[in-house]
Amino acid sequence: CYTNAAKASISRRAVARPSFLIEMGATTLVGKQTLVRETRKVVRAIFPVLKEKGESLKDVTEKLLLVFNYDLDIRLQHYAIHVLPIGYLDNFARGVIGYSVGTNITALRWLRLSNRKFVLKGSFGTETSTYNSLGDVTGTAPYDHITKEKLEKKFSRFLGAIEQTIAPADGVEIPPEHVVKREHVAVMKRPAICHSIKCSKLNLPDFLLEIECGPGFSPRTFVHDLGKDLDSCAHVVHLEQTQYGPFTLEHALPAYRWSWDEASAASEKLRSLWSSHVDKVRSDMKDQYHLFKNLARYC
């Protein structure tokens, strides 16, 4: 079952069934189990795509699955072949996000612990229910006292291995009956890693930051907490993920290039890049893997 957005993304085009599937399906000597096993061997890929602002990862995933099923003339689900995003990116955000196609998720697990880079535009003086511009205004505060020096002094508190509260849903309102229940629940925190924060522009109330972080780090929560630390409040106006692990915006496939041929070609072209990166992350994060292995969201 696909969303309308996913169905609308597929143009009606004639795509020849890949030769390796024709060959496997044409012989009567190949049993069902052998066919499944051989298909799993060849339908594998790790590649980056470009997610646009306002698009959910669920829709991106369904579009890719629909395209690949169409191009390969099979249903990947029947072969237990998964199409999974590497990490998470808010609906509100734009940027590069990796994808894994296949049955082996070992590389996926380590890639989800990769470092990420963001360009973030925020605004002081206003707090919202979602920590970004999609939410309702929940408070205001003065911001004229904030200087670049005061701002940069606060960055050190957010660097290294830290804990962050989990950000509210991205632009999705919480039903009133759930809000009452949440008041009696302890605030949930999760481990996070942040390597560097740089202020590239401050023109009150607006500011522009460049962030490099590891797994678990939420830019929205960071901006919310930063505003509080400066005796003000703040929210995110624009968020772009410019790098995820080894993948940059230059590597990312835009929507008009989403096809199995493009995805598999990109995976092969970038194989040495992402495979060496997996080895590096495995080495760097082996002692911290247990802290992040159960995190489903990374932003």
Side-chain angles (χ1 to χ4, degrees):
C1 179
Y2 302 106
T3 64
N4 290 333
K7 292 177 181 177
S9 71
I10 309 301
S11 60
R12 299 187 64 84
R13 63 191 189 282
V15 179
R17 196 181 194 201
S19 59
F20 66 82
L21 290 178
I22 294 175
E23 291 167 3
M24 287 192 292
T27 174
T28 58
L29 299 178
V30 179
K32 183 177 180 181
Q33 290 184 340
T34 303
L35 177 61
V36 170
R37 184 169 61 250
E38 293 303 312
T39 302
R40 288 176 176 176
K41 285 182 181 179
V42 292
V43 183
R44 295 178 178 177
I46 291 177
F47 59 96
V49 302
L50 179 64
K51 188 192 87 66
E52 295 294 349
K53 183 175 181 178
E55 196 172 30
S56 73
L57 270 190
K58 180 181 178 182
D59 277 346
V60 172
T61 302
E62 290 186 345
K63 289 175 186 177
L64 289 171
L65 181 59
L66 191 58
V67 166
F68 296 161
N69 282 345
Y70 185 85
D71 288 354
L72 297 171
D73 196 21
I74 61 174
R75 291 185 67 82
L76 297 181
Q77 305 93 311
H78 292 172
Y79 294 83
I81 296 173
H82 307 291
V83 178
L84 298 171
I86 299 172
Y88 182 82
L89 192 57
D90 279 345
N91 299 352
F92 175 79
R94 177 186 189 272
V96 58
I97 184 77
Y99 265 84
S100 170
V101 178
T103 57
N104 189 334
I105 61 172
T106 301
L108 171 67
R109 287 171 177 167
W110 290 107
L111 285 170
R112 281 182 170 172
L113 302 184
S114 297
N115 290 336
R116 299 166 294 151
K117 291 183 180 180
F118 290 96
V119 173
L120 181 155
K121 182 179 180 181
S123 182
F124 288 117
T126 306
E127 179 181 344
T128 73
S129 57
T130 57
Y131 300 174
N132 62 28
S133 56
L134 295 180
D136 297 327
V137 174
T138 57
T140 59
Y143 55 83
D144 293 341
H145 60 283
I146 299 173
T147 64
K148 190 172 184 180
E149 182 181 5
K150 289 180 179 179
L151 174 62
E152 291 176 337
K153 278 186 177 180
K154 295 295 183 180
F155 291 165
S156 60
R157 188 176 83 79
F158 301 96
L159 297 178
I162 62 173
E163 282 194 335
Q164 283 187 312
T165 57
I166 296 177
D170 174 27
V172 180
E173 292 187 6
I174 301 172
E177 62 271 19
H178 291 177
V179 174
V180 175
K181 294 177 183 178
R182 285 166 61 92
E183 291 176 354
H184 302 284
V185 177
V187 174
M188 294 184 64
K189 292 188 176 183
R190 66 180 179 189
I193 296 174
C194 185
H195 301 295
S196 67
I197 306 167
K198 177 185 176 183
C199 178
S200 52
K201 186 177 181 181
L202 177 63
N203 183 19
L204 292 174
D206 300 325
F207 58 94
L208 191 66
L209 303 179
E210 297 173 21
I211 300 172
E212 182 175 0
C213 60
F217 188 83
S218 167
R220 284 190 292 137
T221 297
F222 160 66
V223 167
H224 175 80
D225 294 344
L226 179 65
K228 297 293 186 185
D229 271 18
L230 288 164
D231 297 320
S232 182
C233 53
H235 68 279
V236 177
V237 175
H238 176 76
L239 183 64
E240 182 171 49
Q241 185 162 264
T242 58
Q243 184 168 346
Y244 194 109
F247 303 132
T248 65
L249 287 172
E250 288 72 25
H251 298 134
L253 297 176
Y256 69 88
R257 292 179 58 192
W258 292 356
S259 70
W260 176 250
D261 285 345
E262 289 272 14
S264 57
S267 179
E268 193 59 35
K269 180 180 179 181
L270 300 172
R271 177 177 294 276
S272 61
L273 186 67
W274 60 257
S275 61
S276 61
H277 182 79
V278 169
D279 293 338
K280 183 178 185 304
V281 174
R282 191 195 302 264
S283 174
D284 293 346
M285 297 293 293
K286 61 182 178 181
D287 295 329
Q288 296 175 290
Y289 177 75
H290 66 285
L291 297 175
F292 301 101
K293 65 178 181 179
N294 293 324
L295 289 181
R297 294 163 63 100
Y298 291 87
C299 182

mmCIF file of all heavy atoms in Angstrom, residues 96-140:
data_model
loop_
_atom_site.group_PDB
_atom_site.id
_atom_site.type_symbol
_atom_site.label_atom_id
_atom_site.label_comp_id
_atom_site.label_asym_id
_atom_site.label_seq_id
_atom_site.Cartn_x
_atom_site.Cartn_y
_atom_site.Cartn_z
ATOM 1 N N VAL A 96 20.961 15.704 2.107
ATOM 2 C CA VAL A 96 21.385 14.386 1.652
ATOM 3 C C VAL A 96 21.059 13.347 2.720
ATOM 4 O O VAL A 96 21.229 13.592 3.913
ATOM 5 C CB VAL A 96 22.898 14.382 1.333
ATOM 6 C CG1 VAL A 96 23.732 14.799 2.540
ATOM 7 C CG2 VAL A 96 23.344 13.011 0.837
ATOM 8 N N ILE A 97 20.549 12.207 2.280
ATOM 9 C CA ILE A 97 20.266 11.091 3.177
ATOM 10 C C ILE A 97 20.607 9.801 2.437
ATOM 11 O O ILE A 97 20.298 9.659 1.252
ATOM 12 C CB ILE A 97 18.787 11.093 3.645
ATOM 13 C CG1 ILE A 97 18.522 9.973 4.658
ATOM 14 C CG2 ILE A 97 17.835 11.009 2.478
ATOM 15 C CD1 ILE A 97 19.023 10.272 6.035
ATOM 16 N N GLY A 98 21.288 8.894 3.114
ATOM 17 C CA GLY A 98 21.677 7.640 2.488
ATOM 18 C C GLY A 98 20.559 6.613 2.531
ATOM 19 O O GLY A 98 19.674 6.668 3.386
ATOM 20 N N TYR A 99 20.620 5.654 1.596
ATOM 21 C CA TYR A 99 19.663 4.548 1.569
ATOM 22 C C TYR A 99 20.390 3.232 1.360
ATOM 23 O O TYR A 99 21.427 3.181 0.689
ATOM 24 C CB TYR A 99 18.622 4.740 0.463
ATOM 25 C CG TYR A 99 17.354 5.386 0.981
ATOM 26 C CD1 TYR A 99 17.265 6.768 1.091
ATOM 27 C CD2 TYR A 99 16.280 4.616 1.408
ATOM 28 C CE1 TYR A 99 16.121 7.365 1.602
ATOM 29 C CE2 TYR A 99 15.137 5.209 1.915
ATOM 30 C CZ TYR A 99 15.060 6.577 2.014
ATOM 31 O OH TYR A 99 13.935 7.153 2.529
ATOM 32 N N SER A 100 19.825 2.188 1.949
ATOM 33 C CA SER A 100 20.369 0.842 1.813
ATOM 34 C C SER A 100 19.300 -0.071 1.228
ATOM 35 O O SER A 100 18.155 -0.062 1.681
ATOM 36 C CB SER A 100 20.807 0.319 3.187
ATOM 37 O OG SER A 100 21.134 -1.054 3.131
ATOM 38 N N VAL A 101 19.676 -0.839 0.211
ATOM 39 C CA VAL A 101 18.780 -1.832 -0.386
ATOM 40 C C VAL A 101 19.449 -3.191 -0.245
ATOM 41 O O VAL A 101 20.607 -3.365 -0.638
ATOM 42 C CB VAL A 101 18.523 -1.537 -1.877
ATOM 43 C CG1 VAL A 101 17.627 -2.619 -2.483
ATOM 44 C CG2 VAL A 101 17.895 -0.165 -2.060
ATOM 45 N N GLY A 102 18.731 -4.150 0.323
ATOM 46 C CA GLY A 102 19.301 -5.484 0.472
ATOM 47 C C GLY A 102 18.753 -6.195 1.686
ATOM 48 O O GLY A 102 17.797 -5.747 2.326
ATOM 49 N N THR A 103 19.368 -7.314 2.022
ATOM 50 C CA THR A 103 18.949 -8.111 3.175
ATOM 51 C C THR A 103 19.938 -8.010 4.329
ATOM 52 O O THR A 103 19.589 -8.286 5.469
ATOM 53 C CB THR A 103 18.812 -9.594 2.776
ATOM 54 O OG1 THR A 103 20.065 -10.055 2.250
ATOM 55 C CG2 THR A 103 17.729 -9.777 1.723
ATOM 56 N N ASN A 104 21.165 -7.618 4.034
ATOM 57 C CA ASN A 104 22.198 -7.512 5.067
ATOM 58 C C ASN A 104 22.246 -6.073 5.577
ATOM 59 O O ASN A 104 22.534 -5.145 4.815
ATOM 60 C CB ASN A 104 23.555 -7.918 4.494
ATOM 61 C CG ASN A 104 24.622 -8.038 5.570
ATOM 62 O OD1 ASN A 104 24.536 -7.406 6.621
ATOM 63 N ND2 ASN A 104 25.633 -8.851 5.314
ATOM 64 N N ILE A 105 21.958 -5.878 6.858
ATOM 65 C CA ILE A 105 21.913 -4.517 7.398
ATOM 66 C C ILE A 105 23.135 -4.187 8.260
ATOM 67 O O ILE A 105 23.134 -3.203 8.988
ATOM 68 C CB ILE A 105 20.627 -4.291 8.220
ATOM 69 C CG1 ILE A 105 20.571 -5.250 9.425
ATOM 70 C CG2 ILE A 105 19.397 -4.442 7.349
ATOM 71 C CD1 ILE A 105 19.422 -4.943 10.365
ATOM 72 N N THR A 106 24.195 -4.994 8.163
ATOM 73 C CA THR A 106 25.392 -4.732 8.962
ATOM 74 C C THR A 106 25.993 -3.373 8.630
ATOM 75 O O THR A 106 26.281 -2.567 9.520
ATOM 76 C CB THR A 106 26.446 -5.832 8.734
ATOM 77 O OG1 THR A 106 25.892 -7.094 9.098
ATOM 78 C CG2 THR A 106 27.681 -5.566 9.583
ATOM 79 N N ALA A 107 26.185 -3.097 7.342
ATOM 80 C CA ALA A 107 26.740 -1.802 6.936
ATOM 81 C C ALA A 107 25.809 -0.667 7.341
ATOM 82 O O ALA A 107 26.258 0.402 7.777
ATOM 83 C CB ALA A 107 26.978 -1.786 5.429
ATOM 84 N N LEU A 108 24.502 -0.902 7.206
ATOM 85 C CA LEU A 108 23.508 0.108 7.574
ATOM 86 C C LEU A 108 23.645 0.504 9.037
ATOM 87 O O LEU A 108 23.594 1.690 9.385
ATOM 88 C CB LEU A 108 22.107 -0.443 7.296
ATOM 89 C CG LEU A 108 20.907 0.360 7.799
ATOM 90 C CD1 LEU A 108 20.799 1.666 7.050
ATOM 91 C CD2 LEU A 108 19.627 -0.448 7.649
ATOM 92 N N ARG A 109 23.824 -0.476 9.919
ATOM 93 C CA ARG A 109 23.936 -0.196 11.352
ATOM 94 C C ARG A 109 25.105 0.732 11.656
ATOM 95 O O ARG A 109 24.992 1.650 12.466
ATOM 96 C CB ARG A 109 24.104 -1.508 12.118
ATOM 97 C CG ARG A 109 22.841 -2.348 12.199
ATOM 98 C CD ARG A 109 23.145 -3.705 12.784
ATOM 99 N NE ARG A 109 21.942 -4.508 12.948
ATOM 100 C CZ ARG A 109 21.950 -5.808 13.196
ATOM 101 N NH1 ARG A 109 23.103 -6.448 13.301
ATOM 102 N NH2 ARG A 109 20.816 -6.468 13.336
ATOM 103 N N TRP A 110 26.232 0.494 11.000
ATOM 104 C CA TRP A 110 27.404 1.333 11.262
ATOM 105 C C TRP A 110 27.283 2.690 10.580
ATOM 106 O O TRP A 110 27.702 3.710 11.132
ATOM 107 C CB TRP A 110 28.677 0.612 10.814
ATOM 108 C CG TRP A 110 29.007 -0.554 11.687
ATOM 109 C CD1 TRP A 110 28.888 -1.877 11.387
ATOM 110 C CD2 TRP A 110 29.474 -0.504 13.048
ATOM 111 N NE1 TRP A 110 29.254 -2.658 12.455
ATOM 112 C CE2 TRP A 110 29.624 -1.844 13.493
ATOM 113 C CE3 TRP A 110 29.784 0.532 13.922
ATOM 114 C CZ2 TRP A 110 30.065 -2.159 14.770
ATOM 115 C CZ3 TRP A 110 30.227 0.222 15.206
ATOM 116 C CH2 TRP A 110 30.360 -1.106 15.614
ATOM 117 N N LEU A 111 26.700 2.732 9.391
ATOM 118 C CA LEU A 111 26.527 4.009 8.704
ATOM 119 C C LEU A 111 25.606 4.942 9.489
ATOM 120 O O LEU A 111 25.738 6.164 9.415
ATOM 121 C CB LEU A 111 25.976 3.785 7.294
ATOM 122 C CG LEU A 111 26.980 3.256 6.261
ATOM 123 C CD1 LEU A 111 26.267 2.836 4.987
ATOM 124 C CD2 LEU A 111 28.042 4.307 5.955
ATOM 125 N N ARG A 112 24.669 4.376 10.240
ATOM 126 C CA ARG A 112 23.771 5.203 11.047
ATOM 127 C C ARG A 112 24.495 5.898 12.200
ATOM 128 O O ARG A 112 23.933 6.789 12.835
ATOM 129 C CB ARG A 112 22.619 4.351 11.591
ATOM 130 C CG ARG A 112 21.540 4.097 10.552
ATOM 131 C CD ARG A 112 20.393 3.299 11.113
ATOM 132 N NE ARG A 112 19.267 3.274 10.185
ATOM 133 C CZ ARG A 112 18.191 2.526 10.337
ATOM 134 N NH1 ARG A 112 18.093 1.735 11.388
ATOM 135 N NH2 ARG A 112 17.213 2.566 9.456
ATOM 136 N N LEU A 113 25.709 5.487 12.473
ATOM 137 C CA LEU A 113 26.500 6.132 13.529
ATOM 138 C C LEU A 113 27.468 7.162 12.954
ATOM 139 O O LEU A 113 28.349 7.654 13.652
ATOM 140 C CB LEU A 113 27.285 5.075 14.317
ATOM 141 C CG LEU A 113 26.457 3.970 14.985
ATOM 142 C CD1 LEU A 113 27.360 3.056 15.801
ATOM 143 C CD2 LEU A 113 25.375 4.563 15.878
ATOM 144 N N SER A 114 27.299 7.503 11.693
ATOM 145 C CA SER A 114 28.201 8.431 11.009
ATOM 146 C C SER A 114 28.050 9.856 11.521
ATOM 147 O O SER A 114 27.019 10.240 12.082
ATOM 148 C CB SER A 114 27.919 8.426 9.501
ATOM 149 O OG SER A 114 28.169 7.171 8.936
ATOM 150 N N ASN A 115 29.083 10.650 11.263
ATOM 151 C CA ASN A 115 28.998 12.087 11.518
ATOM 152 C C ASN A 115 28.141 12.747 10.447
ATOM 153 O O ASN A 115 28.027 12.255 9.322
ATOM 154 C CB ASN A 115 30.390 12.718 11.520
ATOM 155 C CG ASN A 115 31.205 12.294 12.719
ATOM 156 O OD1 ASN A 115 30.656 11.905 13.749
ATOM 157 N ND2 ASN A 115 32.520 12.361 12.600
ATOM 158 N N ARG A 116 27.554 13.882 10.816
ATOM 159 C CA ARG A 116 26.703 14.639 9.898
ATOM 160 C C ARG A 116 27.078 16.111 9.958
ATOM 161 O O ARG A 116 27.600 16.587 10.968
ATOM 162 C CB ARG A 116 25.225 14.478 10.279
ATOM 163 C CG ARG A 116 24.723 13.055 10.218
ATOM 164 C CD ARG A 116 23.386 12.926 10.930
ATOM 165 N NE ARG A 116 23.514 13.154 12.356
ATOM 166 C CZ ARG A 116 22.546 13.648 13.129
ATOM 167 N NH1 ARG A 116 21.394 13.996 12.599
ATOM 168 N NH2 ARG A 116 22.727 13.801 14.416
ATOM 169 N N LYS A 117 26.799 16.824 8.877
ATOM 170 C CA LYS A 117 27.025 18.265 8.842
ATOM 171 C C LYS A 117 25.726 18.966 8.455
ATOM 172 O O LYS A 117 25.018 18.521 7.549
ATOM 173 C CB LYS A 117 28.130 18.622 7.846
ATOM 174 C CG LYS A 117 29.521 18.159 8.277
ATOM 175 C CD LYS A 117 30.582 18.600 7.280
ATOM 176 C CE LYS A 117 31.968 18.134 7.719
ATOM 177 N NZ LYS A 117 33.020 18.546 6.754
ATOM 178 N N PHE A 118 25.443 20.055 9.169
ATOM 179 C CA PHE A 118 24.232 20.834 8.928
ATOM 180 C C PHE A 118 24.568 22.308 8.728
ATOM 181 O O PHE A 118 25.520 22.821 9.325
ATOM 182 C CB PHE A 118 23.279 20.752 10.131
ATOM 183 C CG PHE A 118 22.631 19.417 10.338
ATOM 184 C CD1 PHE A 118 23.169 18.505 11.230
ATOM 185 C CD2 PHE A 118 21.471 19.075 9.658
ATOM 186 C CE1 PHE A 118 22.574 17.275 11.447
ATOM 187 C CE2 PHE A 118 20.866 17.847 9.866
ATOM 188 C CZ PHE A 118 21.418 16.946 10.760
ATOM 189 N N VAL A 119 23.760 22.963 7.922
ATOM 190 C CA VAL A 119 23.695 24.420 7.891
ATOM 191 C C VAL A 119 22.328 24.778 8.445
ATOM 192 O O VAL A 119 21.303 24.301 7.949
ATOM 193 C CB VAL A 119 23.874 24.980 6.468
ATOM 194 C CG1 VAL A 119 23.617 26.478 6.457
ATOM 195 C CG2 VAL A 119 25.276 24.681 5.952
ATOM 196 N N LEU A 120 22.323 25.590 9.487
ATOM 197 C CA LEU A 120 21.088 25.863 10.222
ATOM 198 C C LEU A 120 20.858 27.363 10.337
ATOM 199 O O LEU A 120 21.752 28.109 10.733
ATOM 200 C CB LEU A 120 21.189 25.235 11.613
ATOM 201 C CG LEU A 120 20.022 25.355 12.590
ATOM 202 C CD1 LEU A 120 20.064 24.202 13.594
ATOM 203 C CD2 LEU A 120 20.029 26.683 13.349
ATOM 204 N N LYS A 121 19.661 27.788 9.993
ATOM 205 C CA LYS A 121 19.254 29.174 10.204
ATOM 206 C C LYS A 121 18.225 29.194 11.320
ATOM 207 O O LYS A 121 17.249 28.437 11.295
ATOM 208 C CB LYS A 121 18.656 29.775 8.933
ATOM 209 C CG LYS A 121 18.263 31.244 9.094
ATOM 210 C CD LYS A 121 17.681 31.815 7.807
ATOM 211 C CE LYS A 121 17.288 33.284 8.007
ATOM 212 N NZ LYS A 121 16.684 33.866 6.777
ATOM 213 N N GLY A 122 18.473 30.037 12.324
ATOM 214 C CA GLY A 122 17.559 30.124 13.451
ATOM 215 C C GLY A 122 17.158 31.557 13.729
ATOM 216 O O GLY A 122 17.684 32.498 13.124
ATOM 217 N N SER A 123 16.235 31.700 14.664
ATOM 218 C CA SER A 123 15.758 33.032 15.032
ATOM 219 C C SER A 123 15.555 33.096 16.540
ATOM 220 O O SER A 123 14.911 32.212 17.124
ATOM 221 C CB SER A 123 14.445 33.344 14.310
ATOM 222 O OG SER A 123 13.993 34.643 14.619
ATOM 223 N N PHE A 124 16.121 34.125 17.165
ATOM 224 C CA PHE A 124 15.949 34.344 18.602
ATOM 225 C C PHE A 124 14.650 35.100 18.875
ATOM 226 O O PHE A 124 14.103 35.776 18.003
ATOM 227 C CB PHE A 124 17.125 35.152 19.165
ATOM 228 C CG PHE A 124 18.409 34.389 19.257
ATOM 229 C CD1 PHE A 124 19.523 34.781 18.519
ATOM 230 C CD2 PHE A 124 18.518 33.283 20.084
ATOM 231 C CE1 PHE A 124 20.716 34.090 18.610
ATOM 232 C CE2 PHE A 124 19.701 32.576 20.177
ATOM 233 C CZ PHE A 124 20.807 32.980 19.436
ATOM 234 N N GLY A 125 14.176 34.972 20.111
ATOM 235 C CA GLY A 125 13.038 35.766 20.556
ATOM 236 C C GLY A 125 11.701 35.066 20.509
ATOM 237 O O GLY A 125 10.726 35.548 21.089
ATOM 238 N N THR A 126 11.633 33.909 19.825
ATOM 239 C CA THR A 126 10.367 33.184 19.710
ATOM 240 C C THR A 126 10.591 31.697 19.934
ATOM 241 O O THR A 126 11.509 31.110 19.362
ATOM 242 C CB THR A 126 9.732 33.391 18.320
ATOM 243 O OG1 THR A 126 9.606 34.786 18.057
ATOM 244 C CG2 THR A 126 8.357 32.744 18.256
ATOM 245 N N GLU A 127 9.740 31.106 20.757
ATOM 246 C CA GLU A 127 9.775 29.665 21.013
ATOM 247 C C GLU A 127 8.529 29.035 20.414
ATOM 248 O O GLU A 127 7.445 29.624 20.461
ATOM 249 C CB GLU A 127 9.815 29.419 22.520
ATOM 250 C CG GLU A 127 9.820 27.964 22.932
ATOM 251 C CD GLU A 127 9.832 27.804 24.443
ATOM 252 O OE1 GLU A 127 10.145 28.789 25.149
ATOM 253 O OE2 GLU A 127 9.513 26.700 24.922
ATOM 254 N N THR A 128 8.677 27.847 19.815
ATOM 255 C CA THR A 128 7.522 27.184 19.208
ATOM 256 C C THR A 128 7.348 25.772 19.763
ATOM 257 O O THR A 128 8.263 25.207 20.365
ATOM 258 C CB THR A 128 7.655 27.091 17.673
ATOM 259 O OG1 THR A 128 8.641 26.106 17.342
ATOM 260 C CG2 THR A 128 8.044 28.435 17.068
ATOM 261 N N SER A 129 6.184 25.203 19.513
ATOM 262 C CA SER A 129 5.849 23.879 20.040
ATOM 263 C C SER A 129 6.661 22.765 19.392
ATOM 264 O O SER A 129 6.782 21.674 19.943
ATOM 265 C CB SER A 129 4.355 23.602 19.838
ATOM 266 O OG SER A 129 4.008 23.702 18.460
ATOM 267 N N THR A 130 7.218 23.020 18.206
ATOM 268 C CA THR A 130 7.996 21.996 17.499
ATOM 269 C C THR A 130 9.478 22.339 17.422
ATOM 270 O O THR A 130 10.250 21.607 16.806
ATOM 271 C CB THR A 130 7.470 21.829 16.061
ATOM 272 O OG1 THR A 130 7.528 23.093 15.393
ATOM 273 C CG2 THR A 130 6.038 21.322 16.048
ATOM 274 N N TYR A 131 9.874 23.449 18.032
ATOM 275 C CA TYR A 131 11.253 23.951 17.990
ATOM 276 C C TYR A 131 11.656 24.412 16.594
ATOM 277 O O TYR A 131 12.820 24.693 16.341
ATOM 278 C CB TYR A 131 12.264 22.911 18.481
ATOM 279 C CG TYR A 131 12.074 22.425 19.900
ATOM 280 C CD1 TYR A 131 12.855 21.387 20.401
ATOM 281 C CD2 TYR A 131 11.112 22.980 20.745
ATOM 282 C CE1 TYR A 131 12.691 20.921 21.708
ATOM 283 C CE2 TYR A 131 10.938 22.522 22.046
ATOM 284 C CZ TYR A 131 11.729 21.492 22.515
ATOM 285 O OH TYR A 131 11.557 21.031 23.805
ATOM 286 N N ASN A 132 10.695 24.473 15.656
ATOM 287 C CA ASN A 132 10.967 25.033 14.334
ATOM 288 C C ASN A 132 9.796 25.920 13.923
ATOM 289 O O ASN A 132 8.827 26.078 14.674
ATOM 290 C CB ASN A 132 11.249 23.932 13.301
ATOM 291 C CG ASN A 132 10.072 22.996 13.085
ATOM 292 O OD1 ASN A 132 8.912 23.365 13.264
ATOM 293 N ND2 ASN A 132 10.357 21.759 12.706
ATOM 294 N N SER A 133 9.863 26.480 12.727
ATOM 295 C CA SER A 133 8.862 27.466 12.310
ATOM 296 C C SER A 133 7.512 26.854 11.953
ATOM 297 O O SER A 133 6.568 27.589 11.651
ATOM 298 C CB SER A 133 9.395 28.275 11.119
ATOM 299 O OG SER A 133 9.766 27.426 10.057
ATOM 300 N N LEU A 134 7.383 25.534 11.994
ATOM 301 C CA LEU A 134 6.104 24.891 11.689
ATOM 302 C C LEU A 134 5.147 24.907 12.874
ATOM 303 O O LEU A 134 3.939 24.749 12.702
ATOM 304 C CB LEU A 134 6.328 23.436 11.257
ATOM 305 C CG LEU A 134 7.080 23.192 9.954
ATOM 306 C CD1 LEU A 134 7.199 21.697 9.695
ATOM 307 C CD2 LEU A 134 6.393 23.875 8.783
ATOM 308 N N GLY A 135 5.691 25.068 14.074
ATOM 309 C CA GLY A 135 4.872 24.943 15.274
ATOM 310 C C GLY A 135 4.181 26.229 15.687
ATOM 311 O O GLY A 135 4.421 27.310 15.135
ATOM 312 N N ASP A 136 3.310 26.089 16.684
ATOM 313 C CA ASP A 136 2.634 27.250 17.265
ATOM 314 C C ASP A 136 3.599 27.983 18.193
ATOM 315 O O ASP A 136 4.434 27.363 18.862
ATOM 316 C CB ASP A 136 1.406 26.802 18.069
ATOM 317 C CG ASP A 136 0.361 26.131 17.192
ATOM 318 O OD1 ASP A 136 0.239 26.520 16.017
ATOM 319 O OD2 ASP A 136 -0.322 25.207 17.690
ATOM 320 N N VAL A 137 3.469 29.291 18.248
ATOM 321 C CA VAL A 137 4.297 30.093 19.153
ATOM 322 C C VAL A 137 3.866 29.812 20.589
ATOM 323 O O VAL A 137 2.687 29.928 20.935
ATOM 324 C CB VAL A 137 4.165 31.597 18.835
ATOM 325 C CG1 VAL A 137 4.921 32.430 19.874
ATOM 326 C CG2 VAL A 137 4.692 31.888 17.437
ATOM 327 N N THR A 138 4.828 29.409 21.418
ATOM 328 C CA THR A 138 4.529 29.087 22.816
ATOM 329 C C THR A 138 5.169 30.069 23.785
ATOM 330 O O THR A 138 4.949 29.978 24.995
ATOM 331 C CB THR A 138 5.021 27.666 23.156
ATOM 332 O OG1 THR A 138 6.428 27.571 22.882
ATOM 333 C CG2 THR A 138 4.281 26.628 22.331
ATOM 334 N N GLY A 139 5.970 30.997 23.270
ATOM 335 C CA GLY A 139 6.591 31.978 24.150
ATOM 336 C C GLY A 139 7.465 32.947 23.383
ATOM 337 O O GLY A 139 7.904 32.662 22.266
ATOM 338 N N THR A 140 7.692 34.103 23.983
ATOM 339 C CA THR A 140 8.600 35.101 23.412
ATOM 340 C C THR A 140 9.507 35.625 24.513
ATOM 341 O O THR A 140 9.183 35.511 25.704
ATOM 342 C CB THR A 140 7.828 36.277 22.777
ATOM 343 O OG1 THR A 140 7.013 36.892 23.783
ATOM 344 C CG2 THR A 140 6.956 35.808 21.622
#
